[in-house]
mmCIF file of all heavy atoms in Angstrom:
data_model
loop_
_atom_site.group_PDB
_atom_site.id
_atom_site.type_symbol
_atom_site.label_atom_id
_atom_site.label_comp_id
_atom_site.label_asym_id
_atom_site.label_seq_id
_atom_site.Cartn_x
_atom_site.Cartn_y
_atom_site.Cartn_z
ATOM 1 N N PHE A 1 41.118 4.923 161.258
ATOM 2 C CA PHE A 1 42.314 5.596 160.761
ATOM 3 C C PHE A 1 42.252 5.545 159.191
ATOM 4 O O PHE A 1 41.771 4.564 158.597
ATOM 5 C CB PHE A 1 43.558 4.894 161.209
ATOM 6 C CG PHE A 1 43.955 5.085 162.642
ATOM 7 C CD1 PHE A 1 42.986 5.447 163.569
ATOM 8 C CD2 PHE A 1 45.250 4.933 163.043
ATOM 9 C CE1 PHE A 1 43.289 5.616 164.903
ATOM 10 C CE2 PHE A 1 45.575 5.127 164.380
ATOM 11 C CZ PHE A 1 44.602 5.482 165.317
ATOM 12 N N ALA A 2 42.774 6.573 158.586
ATOM 13 C CA ALA A 2 42.841 6.649 157.121
ATOM 14 C C ALA A 2 44.161 7.186 156.657
ATOM 15 O O ALA A 2 44.529 8.287 157.125
ATOM 16 C CB ALA A 2 41.684 7.428 156.565
ATOM 17 N N ILE A 3 44.797 6.536 155.762
ATOM 18 C CA ILE A 3 46.069 7.007 155.201
ATOM 19 C C ILE A 3 45.800 7.587 153.796
ATOM 20 O O ILE A 3 45.043 7.028 152.981
ATOM 21 C CB ILE A 3 47.077 5.830 155.093
ATOM 22 C CG1 ILE A 3 47.347 5.247 156.504
ATOM 23 C CG2 ILE A 3 48.364 6.274 154.460
ATOM 24 C CD1 ILE A 3 48.114 3.948 156.443
ATOM 25 N N SER A 4 46.439 8.679 153.519
ATOM 26 C CA SER A 4 46.399 9.296 152.217
ATOM 27 C C SER A 4 47.736 9.959 151.881
ATOM 28 O O SER A 4 48.600 10.016 152.731
ATOM 29 C CB SER A 4 45.275 10.328 152.159
ATOM 30 O OG SER A 4 45.439 11.396 153.094
ATOM 31 N N ARG A 5 47.880 10.417 150.712
ATOM 32 C CA ARG A 5 49.123 11.070 150.321
ATOM 33 C C ARG A 5 48.837 12.125 149.250
ATOM 34 O O ARG A 5 47.923 12.012 148.493
ATOM 35 C CB ARG A 5 50.192 10.023 149.843
ATOM 36 C CG ARG A 5 49.802 9.341 148.584
ATOM 37 C CD ARG A 5 50.717 8.132 148.371
ATOM 38 N NE ARG A 5 52.093 8.532 148.151
ATOM 39 C CZ ARG A 5 53.121 7.700 148.259
ATOM 40 N NH1 ARG A 5 52.907 6.386 148.510
ATOM 41 N NH2 ARG A 5 54.370 8.101 148.063
ATOM 42 N N ASP A 6 49.744 13.097 149.198
ATOM 43 C CA ASP A 6 49.724 14.111 148.169
ATOM 44 C C ASP A 6 51.143 14.111 147.563
ATOM 45 O O ASP A 6 52.050 14.714 148.114
ATOM 46 C CB ASP A 6 49.343 15.469 148.705
ATOM 47 C CG ASP A 6 49.145 16.526 147.628
ATOM 48 O OD1 ASP A 6 49.691 16.326 146.507
ATOM 49 O OD2 ASP A 6 48.491 17.543 147.895
ATOM 50 N N ASN A 7 51.298 13.440 146.446
ATOM 51 C CA ASN A 7 52.624 13.269 145.884
ATOM 52 C C ASN A 7 53.141 14.635 145.324
ATOM 53 O O ASN A 7 54.372 14.792 145.273
ATOM 54 C CB ASN A 7 52.595 12.270 144.724
ATOM 55 C CG ASN A 7 52.536 10.861 145.279
ATOM 56 O OD1 ASN A 7 52.761 10.592 146.456
ATOM 57 N ND2 ASN A 7 52.089 9.940 144.438
ATOM 58 N N ALA A 8 52.271 15.566 144.952
ATOM 59 C CA ALA A 8 52.702 16.867 144.564
ATOM 60 C C ALA A 8 53.371 17.626 145.677
ATOM 61 O O ALA A 8 54.208 18.524 145.424
ATOM 62 C CB ALA A 8 51.603 17.658 143.939
ATOM 63 N N LYS A 9 53.005 17.347 146.876
ATOM 64 C CA LYS A 9 53.541 18.022 148.031
ATOM 65 C C LYS A 9 54.546 17.126 148.770
ATOM 66 O O LYS A 9 55.067 17.539 149.819
ATOM 67 C CB LYS A 9 52.438 18.476 148.995
ATOM 68 C CG LYS A 9 51.480 19.502 148.386
ATOM 69 C CD LYS A 9 50.392 19.830 149.365
ATOM 70 C CE LYS A 9 49.451 20.864 148.818
ATOM 71 N NZ LYS A 9 48.375 21.265 149.751
ATOM 72 N N ASN A 10 54.804 15.968 148.295
ATOM 73 C CA ASN A 10 55.729 15.023 148.956
ATOM 74 C C ASN A 10 55.340 14.777 150.425
ATOM 75 O O ASN A 10 56.152 14.749 151.336
ATOM 76 C CB ASN A 10 57.166 15.532 148.919
ATOM 77 C CG ASN A 10 57.774 15.338 147.526
ATOM 78 O OD1 ASN A 10 57.233 14.724 146.629
ATOM 79 N ND2 ASN A 10 58.986 15.945 147.344
ATOM 80 N N THR A 11 54.001 14.550 150.636
ATOM 81 C CA THR A 11 53.479 14.463 152.009
ATOM 82 C C THR A 11 52.579 13.308 152.145
ATOM 83 O O THR A 11 51.678 13.044 151.318
ATOM 84 C CB THR A 11 52.740 15.739 152.389
ATOM 85 O OG1 THR A 11 53.635 16.882 152.249
ATOM 86 C CG2 THR A 11 52.336 15.687 153.806
ATOM 87 N N LEU A 12 52.773 12.576 153.166
ATOM 88 C CA LEU A 12 51.891 11.469 153.668
ATOM 89 C C LEU A 12 51.030 11.943 154.802
ATOM 90 O O LEU A 12 51.554 12.707 155.675
ATOM 91 C CB LEU A 12 52.789 10.347 154.031
ATOM 92 C CG LEU A 12 52.122 9.033 154.542
ATOM 93 C CD1 LEU A 12 51.436 8.286 153.396
ATOM 94 C CD2 LEU A 12 53.107 8.152 155.275
ATOM 95 N N TYR A 13 49.801 11.436 154.927
ATOM 96 C CA TYR A 13 48.946 11.814 155.939
ATOM 97 C C TYR A 13 48.379 10.561 156.690
ATOM 98 O O TYR A 13 48.242 9.523 156.128
ATOM 99 C CB TYR A 13 47.757 12.623 155.420
ATOM 100 C CG TYR A 13 48.109 13.859 154.690
ATOM 101 C CD1 TYR A 13 48.173 13.850 153.317
ATOM 102 C CD2 TYR A 13 48.473 15.031 155.362
ATOM 103 C CE1 TYR A 13 48.490 15.039 152.599
ATOM 104 C CE2 TYR A 13 48.826 16.133 154.644
ATOM 105 C CZ TYR A 13 48.822 16.153 153.274
ATOM 106 O OH TYR A 13 49.238 17.256 152.560
ATOM 107 N N LEU A 14 47.999 10.821 157.978
ATOM 108 C CA LEU A 14 47.284 9.883 158.739
ATOM 109 C C LEU A 14 46.202 10.575 159.472
ATOM 110 O O LEU A 14 46.408 11.400 160.358
ATOM 111 C CB LEU A 14 48.185 9.115 159.727
ATOM 112 C CG LEU A 14 47.515 8.164 160.707
ATOM 113 C CD1 LEU A 14 46.937 6.991 159.880
ATOM 114 C CD2 LEU A 14 48.525 7.623 161.716
ATOM 115 N N GLN A 15 44.956 10.295 159.033
ATOM 116 C CA GLN A 15 43.769 10.829 159.754
ATOM 117 C C GLN A 15 43.356 9.886 160.808
ATOM 118 O O GLN A 15 43.119 8.662 160.545
ATOM 119 C CB GLN A 15 42.676 11.101 158.758
ATOM 120 C CG GLN A 15 41.390 11.587 159.411
ATOM 121 C CD GLN A 15 41.513 13.021 159.924
ATOM 122 O OE1 GLN A 15 42.018 13.847 159.296
ATOM 123 N NE2 GLN A 15 40.965 13.210 161.193
ATOM 124 N N MET A 16 43.176 10.266 162.055
ATOM 125 C CA MET A 16 42.830 9.421 163.175
ATOM 126 C C MET A 16 41.552 9.971 163.760
ATOM 127 O O MET A 16 41.499 11.109 164.242
ATOM 128 C CB MET A 16 43.950 9.361 164.172
ATOM 129 C CG MET A 16 45.272 8.883 163.581
ATOM 130 S SD MET A 16 46.607 8.905 164.800
ATOM 131 C CE MET A 16 46.864 10.613 165.045
ATOM 132 N N ASN A 17 40.518 9.137 163.839
ATOM 133 C CA ASN A 17 39.265 9.471 164.365
ATOM 134 C C ASN A 17 38.866 8.585 165.515
ATOM 135 O O ASN A 17 39.447 7.440 165.640
ATOM 136 C CB ASN A 17 38.173 9.414 163.314
ATOM 137 C CG ASN A 17 38.418 10.330 162.126
ATOM 138 O OD1 ASN A 17 38.844 11.499 162.327
ATOM 139 N ND2 ASN A 17 38.199 9.861 160.957
ATOM 140 N N SER A 18 37.909 8.962 166.311
ATOM 141 C CA SER A 18 37.434 8.166 167.431
ATOM 142 C C SER A 18 38.546 7.606 168.256
ATOM 143 O O SER A 18 38.637 6.433 168.654
ATOM 144 C CB SER A 18 36.551 7.019 166.901
ATOM 145 O OG SER A 18 35.469 7.516 166.182
ATOM 146 N N LEU A 19 39.472 8.479 168.655
ATOM 147 C CA LEU A 19 40.672 8.093 169.353
ATOM 148 C C LEU A 19 40.363 7.521 170.712
ATOM 149 O O LEU A 19 39.507 8.025 171.427
ATOM 150 C CB LEU A 19 41.657 9.204 169.440
ATOM 151 C CG LEU A 19 42.373 9.563 168.131
ATOM 152 C CD1 LEU A 19 43.018 10.970 168.187
ATOM 153 C CD2 LEU A 19 43.399 8.503 167.776
ATOM 154 N N LYS A 20 41.147 6.531 171.070
ATOM 155 C CA LYS A 20 41.011 5.850 172.372
ATOM 156 C C LYS A 20 42.317 6.029 173.170
ATOM 157 O O LYS A 20 43.341 6.288 172.594
ATOM 158 C CB LYS A 20 40.701 4.291 172.154
ATOM 159 C CG LYS A 20 39.546 4.030 171.253
ATOM 160 C CD LYS A 20 39.494 2.556 170.919
ATOM 161 C CE LYS A 20 38.351 2.191 170.001
ATOM 162 N NZ LYS A 20 38.307 0.797 169.686
ATOM 163 N N SER A 21 42.241 5.725 174.446
ATOM 164 C CA SER A 21 43.401 5.813 175.252
ATOM 165 C C SER A 21 44.516 4.920 174.791
ATOM 166 O O SER A 21 45.693 5.273 174.857
ATOM 167 C CB SER A 21 43.119 5.579 176.735
ATOM 168 O OG SER A 21 42.566 4.243 176.916
ATOM 169 N N GLU A 22 44.143 3.766 174.289
ATOM 170 C CA GLU A 22 45.168 2.833 173.774
ATOM 171 C C GLU A 22 45.789 3.298 172.522
ATOM 172 O O GLU A 22 46.811 2.664 172.014
ATOM 173 C CB GLU A 22 44.520 1.422 173.631
ATOM 174 C CG GLU A 22 43.326 1.399 172.789
ATOM 175 C CD GLU A 22 42.041 1.412 173.636
ATOM 176 O OE1 GLU A 22 41.912 2.139 174.543
ATOM 177 O OE2 GLU A 22 41.063 0.604 173.279
ATOM 178 N N ASP A 23 45.338 4.331 171.874
ATOM 179 C CA ASP A 23 46.003 4.950 170.724
ATOM 180 C C ASP A 23 47.167 5.825 171.112
ATOM 181 O O ASP A 23 47.925 6.312 170.280
ATOM 182 C CB ASP A 23 45.010 5.694 169.860
ATOM 183 C CG ASP A 23 43.947 4.922 169.301
ATOM 184 O OD1 ASP A 23 44.208 3.770 168.772
ATOM 185 O OD2 ASP A 23 42.764 5.359 169.212
ATOM 186 N N THR A 24 47.292 6.078 172.420
ATOM 187 C CA THR A 24 48.461 6.878 172.931
ATOM 188 C C THR A 24 49.727 6.169 172.479
ATOM 189 O O THR A 24 49.952 5.018 172.871
ATOM 190 C CB THR A 24 48.415 7.033 174.412
ATOM 191 O OG1 THR A 24 47.249 7.825 174.783
ATOM 192 C CG2 THR A 24 49.596 7.713 174.928
ATOM 193 N N ALA A 25 50.560 6.864 171.706
ATOM 194 C CA ALA A 25 51.739 6.217 171.138
ATOM 195 C C ALA A 25 52.566 7.221 170.422
ATOM 196 O O ALA A 25 52.166 8.379 170.197
ATOM 197 C CB ALA A 25 51.354 5.082 170.183
ATOM 198 N N LEU A 26 53.780 6.816 170.092
ATOM 199 C CA LEU A 26 54.605 7.542 169.188
ATOM 200 C C LEU A 26 54.401 7.002 167.769
ATOM 201 O O LEU A 26 54.450 5.789 167.521
ATOM 202 C CB LEU A 26 56.103 7.403 169.639
ATOM 203 C CG LEU A 26 57.102 8.254 168.860
ATOM 204 C CD1 LEU A 26 56.869 9.704 169.206
ATOM 205 C CD2 LEU A 26 58.501 7.839 169.340
ATOM 206 N N TYR A 27 54.105 7.916 166.846
ATOM 207 C CA TYR A 27 53.701 7.510 165.511
ATOM 208 C C TYR A 27 54.787 7.820 164.497
ATOM 209 O O TYR A 27 55.319 8.953 164.497
ATOM 210 C CB TYR A 27 52.415 8.161 165.105
ATOM 211 C CG TYR A 27 51.168 7.619 165.781
ATOM 212 C CD1 TYR A 27 50.931 7.909 167.121
ATOM 213 C CD2 TYR A 27 50.389 6.680 165.101
ATOM 214 C CE1 TYR A 27 49.766 7.379 167.743
ATOM 215 C CE2 TYR A 27 49.266 6.211 165.734
ATOM 216 C CZ TYR A 27 49.006 6.477 167.068
ATOM 217 O OH TYR A 27 47.879 5.935 167.700
ATOM 218 N N TYR A 28 55.108 6.891 163.675
ATOM 219 C CA TYR A 28 56.184 7.002 162.677
ATOM 220 C C TYR A 28 55.654 6.841 161.307
ATOM 221 O O TYR A 28 54.791 5.930 161.079
ATOM 222 C CB TYR A 28 57.299 6.002 162.891
ATOM 223 C CG TYR A 28 57.976 5.970 164.234
ATOM 224 C CD1 TYR A 28 57.529 5.206 165.249
ATOM 225 C CD2 TYR A 28 59.138 6.723 164.427
ATOM 226 C CE1 TYR A 28 58.131 5.174 166.450
ATOM 227 C CE2 TYR A 28 59.723 6.666 165.672
ATOM 228 C CZ TYR A 28 59.238 5.890 166.667
ATOM 229 O OH TYR A 28 59.891 5.881 167.928
ATOM 230 N N CYS A 29 56.142 7.567 160.349
ATOM 231 C CA CYS A 29 56.018 7.182 158.917
ATOM 232 C C CYS A 29 57.262 6.508 158.473
ATOM 233 O O CYS A 29 58.353 6.758 159.020
ATOM 234 C CB CYS A 29 55.680 8.434 158.044
ATOM 235 S SG CYS A 29 56.910 9.688 157.955
ATOM 236 N N ALA A 30 57.090 5.648 157.496
ATOM 237 C CA ALA A 30 58.217 4.827 157.033
ATOM 238 C C ALA A 30 58.101 4.625 155.495
ATOM 239 O O ALA A 30 57.057 4.392 155.024
ATOM 240 C CB ALA A 30 58.279 3.484 157.755
ATOM 241 N N ARG A 31 59.273 4.675 154.870
ATOM 242 C CA ARG A 31 59.355 4.345 153.466
ATOM 243 C C ARG A 31 59.511 2.849 153.286
ATOM 244 O O ARG A 31 60.243 2.175 154.078
ATOM 245 C CB ARG A 31 60.545 5.051 152.835
ATOM 246 C CG ARG A 31 60.652 4.969 151.335
ATOM 247 C CD ARG A 31 61.823 5.673 150.785
ATOM 248 N NE ARG A 31 63.126 4.904 151.066
ATOM 249 C CZ ARG A 31 64.310 5.219 150.509
ATOM 250 N NH1 ARG A 31 64.371 6.276 149.686
ATOM 251 N NH2 ARG A 31 65.328 4.519 150.805
ATOM 252 N N ARG A 32 58.943 2.290 152.302
ATOM 253 C CA ARG A 32 59.014 0.843 152.005
ATOM 254 C C ARG A 32 59.752 0.569 150.698
ATOM 255 O O ARG A 32 59.575 1.245 149.696
ATOM 256 C CB ARG A 32 57.666 0.273 151.948
ATOM 257 C CG ARG A 32 56.763 0.554 153.125
ATOM 258 C CD ARG A 32 55.588 -0.373 153.279
ATOM 259 N NE ARG A 32 55.962 -1.656 153.687
ATOM 260 C CZ ARG A 32 55.120 -2.539 154.189
ATOM 261 N NH1 ARG A 32 53.851 -2.272 154.368
ATOM 262 N NH2 ARG A 32 55.546 -3.761 154.557
ATOM 263 N N ASP A 33 60.676 -0.351 150.818
ATOM 264 C CA ASP A 33 61.646 -0.680 149.728
ATOM 265 C C ASP A 33 61.074 -1.821 148.932
ATOM 266 O O ASP A 33 61.103 -2.980 149.359
ATOM 267 C CB ASP A 33 62.993 -1.022 150.233
ATOM 268 C CG ASP A 33 64.035 -1.223 149.192
ATOM 269 O OD1 ASP A 33 63.644 -1.213 147.971
ATOM 270 O OD2 ASP A 33 65.201 -1.416 149.527
ATOM 271 N N ALA A 34 60.556 -1.564 147.734
ATOM 272 C CA ALA A 34 59.960 -2.598 146.862
ATOM 273 C C ALA A 34 60.984 -3.636 146.369
ATOM 274 O O ALA A 34 60.606 -4.695 145.976
ATOM 275 C CB ALA A 34 59.263 -1.906 145.686
ATOM 276 N N ASN A 35 62.164 -3.272 146.470
ATOM 277 C CA ASN A 35 63.289 -4.202 145.952
ATOM 278 C C ASN A 35 63.814 -5.000 147.149
ATOM 279 O O ASN A 35 64.758 -5.796 146.834
ATOM 280 C CB ASN A 35 64.422 -3.364 145.314
ATOM 281 C CG ASN A 35 63.974 -2.681 144.050
ATOM 282 O OD1 ASN A 35 63.296 -3.278 143.240
ATOM 283 N ND2 ASN A 35 64.384 -1.448 143.906
ATOM 284 N N TYR A 36 63.320 -4.863 148.326
ATOM 285 C CA TYR A 36 63.707 -5.702 149.461
ATOM 286 C C TYR A 36 62.498 -6.114 150.307
ATOM 287 O O TYR A 36 62.396 -5.876 151.429
ATOM 288 C CB TYR A 36 64.704 -4.892 150.328
ATOM 289 C CG TYR A 36 65.454 -5.786 151.254
ATOM 290 C CD1 TYR A 36 66.361 -6.719 150.770
ATOM 291 C CD2 TYR A 36 65.360 -5.668 152.663
ATOM 292 C CE1 TYR A 36 67.125 -7.542 151.654
ATOM 293 C CE2 TYR A 36 66.054 -6.419 153.526
ATOM 294 C CZ TYR A 36 66.923 -7.376 153.047
ATOM 295 O OH TYR A 36 67.647 -8.174 153.917
ATOM 296 N N ASN A 37 61.591 -6.780 149.595
ATOM 297 C CA ASN A 37 60.349 -7.300 150.223
ATOM 298 C C ASN A 37 59.585 -6.294 150.958
ATOM 299 O O ASN A 37 58.978 -6.550 152.003
ATOM 300 C CB ASN A 37 60.713 -8.490 151.171
ATOM 301 C CG ASN A 37 59.592 -9.413 151.457
ATOM 302 O OD1 ASN A 37 58.655 -9.539 150.693
ATOM 303 N ND2 ASN A 37 59.565 -9.994 152.654
#
């Protein structure tokens, strides 16, 4: 898996390769608050 972002497009990406059955899931992106750990 590889995470990247394009700040000019306000977009976050997740590239997933060699997927396995155990990768079956619901995937979420999340913002992290630097002021709250």
Side-chain angles (χ1 to χ4, degrees):
F1 287 24
I3 300 169
S4 61
R5 66 193 296 164
D6 187 339
N7 285 341
K9 297 180 179 179
N10 287 349
T11 303
L12 178 73
Y13 302 100
L14 176 64
Q15 177 68 45
M16 302 178 290
N17 301 318
S18 301
L19 285 163
K20 307 172 182 179
S21 60
E22 53 262 44
D23 294 320
T24 294
L26 188 64
Y27 287 76
Y28 302 90
C29 64
R31 188 181 76 169
R32 308 197 72 164
D33 185 356
N35 295 317
Y36 196 66
N37 199 30

